[in-house]
Amino acid sequence: MEDIDAIVVLQDPVRRRLYEYVVAQGREVGRNEAAEAVGVARTLAAHHLDRLAEGGLLESGSRRLTGRSGPGAGRPAKVYTRGRGEWSVSLPVRDYRTAAELLAEAAEEAGLDAGLCAAARRRGEALRGGAAPCGGLEEAMGLLASRGYEPHQESAADASDSASPVVRMRNCPFHAVAERFPPLVCGMNLALLEGLLGENGPVRARMDARPGECCVVIELSKNKIH
């Protein structure tokens, strides 16, 4: 399916809400849950979810939602997660990814990591404008969401390496280039977010890479944790 065809699938408002809900969960979502979340009938939700899967925007599978197995566990239910493809449309056709990869390759070969990070931090500061440093995790999540990072807060109980809540991000806006040049692009991303959030504020950005997520996490600054 062409990129433009896949994106047209999201034109229906119910379908788009279902897609956004599934993506926001970061896990498998069943038809009943999705239908209830967006306020539509299960049969209608099933139709739209399957249409999203046919278009490659979602992936479908099946499992027992009860968590049990064996006799009496019930039949497996259909579940959905975000598709692994990446879709974009530009009219007329543009190829910014190739340009970004060439620039990243040249920067890496020339050892320009420090210069790139300095430029990224300045860009983050420019995006913040004259605003004060980010005031807390909730404000940080708003900023990150506006930049396409898909943030979600992870509680201390879920974090194995932190005593305080952290904000993780399900999406990296630079994913395609970061896959080819991870140290360079992840360092750039960290510097950009440092500039965006502001220095000496109550939150900070740090590296903590996990498969399938952005390499940067946001947490309360250590001097702000009581």
Side-chain angles (χ1 to χ4, degrees):
M1 177 176 285
E2 297 292 335
D3 284 14
I4 194 167
D5 295 327
I7 292 173
V8 166
V9 171
L10 292 172
Q11 185 175 6
D12 183 282
V14 173
R15 196 174 295 159
R16 182 162 185 172
R17 294 205 308 272
L18 285 164
Y19 172 77
E20 290 172 344
Y21 178 78
V22 172
V23 167
Q25 305 318 299
R27 55 173 172 78
E28 294 177 331
V29 173
R31 289 172 167 175
N32 288 340
E33 178 187 347
E36 184 176 350
V38 303
V40 299
R42 182 184 183 280
T43 52
L44 181 60
H47 166 73
H48 285 308
L49 289 166
D50 285 340
R51 185 71 184 89
L52 289 164
E54 290 168 7
L57 293 162
L58 296 180
E59 293 183 1
S60 62
S62 62
R63 67 177 176 85
R64 288 187 173 90
L65 298 179
T66 61
R68 303 194 306 269
S69 60
R75 296 175 59 186
K78 202 162 188 179
V79 292
Y80 303 84
T81 56
R82 187 212 298 269
R84 282 173 280 187
E86 183 175 321
W87 313 96
S88 63
V89 173
S90 176
L91 298 173
V93 174
R94 300 287 189 251
D95 188 5
Y96 299 114
R97 179 184 296 182
T98 297
E101 290 177 348
L102 288 170
L103 289 168
E105 183 176 355
E108 191 172 73
E109 290 178 353
L112 299 178
D113 305 54
L116 177 62
C117 288
R121 190 171 288 103
R122 290 195 299 270
R123 175 58 63 90
E125 292 169 350
L127 291 171
R128 184 163 48 87
C134 187
L137 293 182
E138 185 174 346
E139 183 181 343
M141 289 179 70
L143 285 171
L144 295 167
S146 71
R147 304 297 302 174
Y149 284 92
E150 298 181 9
H152 65 101
Q153 186 166 321
E154 179 183 63
S155 68
D158 296 328
S160 60
D161 57 352
S162 176
S164 63
V166 299
V167 172
R168 295 188 177 273
M169 296 167 275
R170 295 193 176 99
N171 182 51
C172 172
F174 315 111
H175 174 72
V177 187
E179 278 196 317
R180 289 196 57 189
F181 307 95
L184 182 77
V185 178
C186 291
M188 176 199 75
N189 187 27
L190 175 62
L192 176 71
L193 292 178
E194 288 173 340
L196 182 65
L197 297 173
E199 294 186 63
N200 303 316
V203 298
R204 66 164 187 158
R206 65 175 174 85
M207 287 286 194
D208 187 14
R210 280 188 181 180
E213 293 187 325
C214 176
C215 60
V216 179
V217 299
I218 312 299
E219 64 184 5
L220 293 172
S221 299
K222 292 190 180 300
N223 61 347
K224 300 295 180 180
I225 298 174
H226 301 288

